[in-house]
Amino acid sequence: MGSTATAEILRPEPMTLEQWADMEEDQPGELLDGRLVEEEVPTTLHEAVVSWLIEVLRGWARPRGGWVFGSEYKLGVSARRGRKADVCMYAPGAPLRGRDALSRIPPTVVVEVLSQRPRDVRRDRMEKTREYARFGVRWYWLVDPDAQLVELYELGPDGYYVQRLPASEGKVRVPGLDGLELDLDALWAEVAPLLDDDEPERGESGDR
């Protein structure tokens, strides 16, 4: 069974990377084997974690001449596959072109924030792991806000990712990116209010 089984096909007609790149910004979807498929629907918690990561990564990258992009930045990871990572960072010197709607240049770091849907977890842990490795992304980070866990994987010389660091607390210095530090205690403290799901069910207060 193909990997399209893990995501709903939004448009049955085949698309090229260029057609996908030219879609309107408000049209969702990633390109998988030439078909437009659904992408992850982010929660408030998910977006809060993404926002924090962008702020931290940008604070490190911009003074050094690097770039950080959010979830609408399109990556052509292969000839027929296009992905939109939650966060991606380019180290200084990446030959980016400002008017391109699609990047075929692998970022230095790609981050995916895991959701609770099994379909999305499979996509981030299996499909995208293979795709980003083949694309040449040096660092692949997985962030699980529910488990309060961050996993850092580095691309090895054999073309596969090796886990360099699993961490859940404290200040983590990122190997290979001098001066980049993740304060995980600060991250979890910031999003803690969003982890409280003990809201009254609709109708409990007597309102109809």
Side-chain angles (χ1 to χ4, degrees), residues 77-112:
V77 298
S78 69
R80 302 181 68 224
R81 294 194 175 206
R83 293 297 193 181
K84 294 192 286 186
D86 288 326
V87 185
C88 58
M89 182 183 76
Y90 287 91
L96 303 181
R97 293 157 48 100
R99 289 180 171 79
D100 286 350
L102 174 77
S103 177
R104 291 182 172 85
I105 300 170
T108 305
V109 176
V110 161
V111 187
E112 296 289 358

Side-chain angles (χ1 to χ4, degrees), residues 16-75:
T16 64
L17 276 174
E18 289 72 24
Q19 289 172 325
W20 177 67
D22 288 340
M23 290 174 56
E24 297 294 331
E25 289 185 5
D26 60 350
Q27 289 186 273
E30 294 180 310
L31 194 68
L32 188 59
D33 296 332
R35 295 288 193 278
L36 186 68
V37 301
E38 67 167 349
E39 59 186 282
E40 182 178 354
V41 179
T43 63
T44 302
L45 173 62
H46 179 282
E47 291 303 280
V49 174
V50 167
S51 177
W52 188 91
L53 289 165
I54 288 175
E55 182 178 351
V56 170
L57 287 173
R58 192 175 190 279
W60 182 88
R62 289 306 299 132
R64 294 167 170 80
W67 295 95
V68 178
F69 301 104
S71 59
E72 289 306 310
Y73 191 71
K74 294 181 176 179
L75 299 170

Side-chain angles (χ1 to χ4, degrees), residues 1-7 9 32-33 81 119 122 126-127 130:
M1 182 178 294
S3 54
T4 52
T6 64
I9 297 176
L32 188 59
D33 296 332
R81 294 194 175 206
R119 175 184 297 177
R122 286 195 301 269
M126 296 176 64
E127 294 176 19
R130 293 191 297 266

Side-chain angles (χ1 to χ4, degrees), residues 3 10 28 34 48 146 196 199 204:
S3 54
L10 300 178
D146 292 291
D196 184 5
E199 298 179 359
E204 280 188 8

